[in-house]
Amino acid sequence: MATKYYAFIIERENIKEVVTTWEECQKKTKGKGARYKSFKKENDAWEWLNQGGIYENKKEKIELLKESLKEGIYFDAGTGRGIGVEVRVTDIIGTSLLHETMPEHMINEFGNYHAPKGSTNNYGELIGLYLAIDIALKLGYKHIFGDSKLVIDYWSKGACNKTSLNEKTINLISKTSLRRVKFQELGGVIEHVSGDINPADLGFHK
C-alpha cells in the first residue's frame, strides 16, 4: 500500500510536522486547534506547511476527517429540504440501506424514509437508530454511528423524561432500547460521529 503523508500545524505551540498515519496525526493534534491535510508525497506536505498550512476550501478538512471513519451503519434525520423530517440510514460511503428493512413504497426518491407528519427531528433520529439496528442485525454489522447524543446516550438506553414526551415517542424509546440490548449482546457497538463527517448526514450540519 502506498504511503500517505499527513501534515499538521499547531500554531499556538509553533509546531509543524509530517507523519505517515492518520492515527498518529489524530493523537498529536486532538483538542489543539490544529490544521492538517493528507498528501501522496512528503515534499508536497512540507510545502503546504511552509506556506502556512492554509486550506483552499472548507471541504478539505472534512474529506480528511472522513478517512478516519469505521466500517458500519450510519444514521441521521433532518429537515433540510423543507418537506418535514427525513430519516436516512447508509453504509460508510453514504449509500442508502433502507431497502433492507422496509418496502420500496416507504422510501422516497432520495433514498430516505419520510417520518410521519408532525415528527420532531429527535424523533426522526430515534427512528433512524431503530432502523439501523434492524439492518445491522440482518446484515451482520457490529458498528452503528449517528450524530445525536440524545438518542445514542439517553433515549436508546431507555432514559427519558416521560412527562415531557408524547406516547408515540415513549413507545419507540422502549422498543429501541430493547433492540439495542439485543444488538449489544451480540457484540454490537453504537457510537457518536460528528455530523460534519456523517455519511448519512442530511445537510443539517453543513
Side-chain angles (χ1 to χ4, degrees):
M1 183 180 293
T3 301
K4 210 164 191 178
Y5 298 92
Y6 298 87
F8 65 86
I9 180 169
I10 306 173
E11 286 189 323
R12 66 189 183 197
E13 297 181 14
N14 196 29
I15 293 175
K16 295 179 181 179
E17 193 172 338
V18 176
V19 296
T20 56
T21 67
W22 165 248
E23 289 74 19
E24 187 176 3
C25 178
Q26 196 174 36
K27 182 179 180 181
K28 291 186 174 184
T29 61
K30 188 174 182 179
K32 296 185 178 181
R35 296 192 300 277
Y36 33 76
K37 187 176 177 181
S38 62
F39 296 87
K40 293 181 179 180
K41 297 180 180 179
E42 186 175 8
N43 287 344
D44 291 340
W46 280 111
E47 183 178 354
W48 181 73
L49 287 176
N50 292 332
Q51 290 179 351
I54 304 300
Y55 294 124
E56 293 179 9
N57 56 64
K58 292 180 180 179
K59 289 184 178 180
E60 288 189 347
K61 185 173 182 179
I62 293 173
E63 289 305 314
L64 177 60
L65 286 171
K66 282 186 176 180
E67 294 181 19
S68 67
L69 292 176
K70 298 177 184 177
E71 189 67 40
I73 294 178
Y74 293 78
F75 71 94
D76 189 37
T79 57
R81 262 183 281 271
I83 58 174
V85 176
E86 290 179 80
V87 179
R88 187 163 181 79
V89 182
T90 76
D91 60 16
I92 193 173
I93 61 173
T95 303
S96 176
L97 297 174
L98 288 181
H99 62 278
E100 297 288 351
T101 194
M102 61 173 47
E104 292 295 332
H105 74 270
M106 296 181 69
I107 303 172
N108 69 18
E109 61 186 297
F110 306 106
N112 307 327
Y113 169 64
H114 200 173
K117 187 175 180 180
S119 295
T120 64
N121 198 70
N122 287 332
Y123 184 72
E125 294 275 6
L126 186 61
I127 294 173
L129 178 52
Y130 182 84
L131 295 173
I133 294 174
D134 263 1
I135 295 168
L137 290 171
K138 178 181 179 180
L139 301 182
Y141 281 90
K142 296 299 183 183
H143 290 86
I144 294 174
F145 304 90
D147 52 54
S148 171
K149 290 189 175 182
L150 172 67
V151 168
I152 293 172
D153 295 339
Y154 298 98
W155 282 7
S156 65
K157 294 180 178 179
C160 65
N161 181 357
K162 293 184 178 181
T163 61
S164 63
L165 298 172
N166 59 41
E167 186 177 353
K168 180 177 67 173
T169 303
I170 293 171
N171 287 340
L172 186 55
I173 286 172
S174 178
K175 289 169 62 178
T176 305
S177 63
L178 290 174
R179 298 295 276 170
R180 178 171 184 159
V181 169
K182 180 178 180 180
F183 179 60
Q184 292 179 326
E185 285 176 345
L186 294 172
V189 178
I190 300 173
E191 299 180 58
H192 179 267
V193 65
S194 170
D196 289 329
I197 59 172
N198 184 354
D201 184 68
L202 279 155
F204 219 57
H205 306 274
K206 291 183 174 64

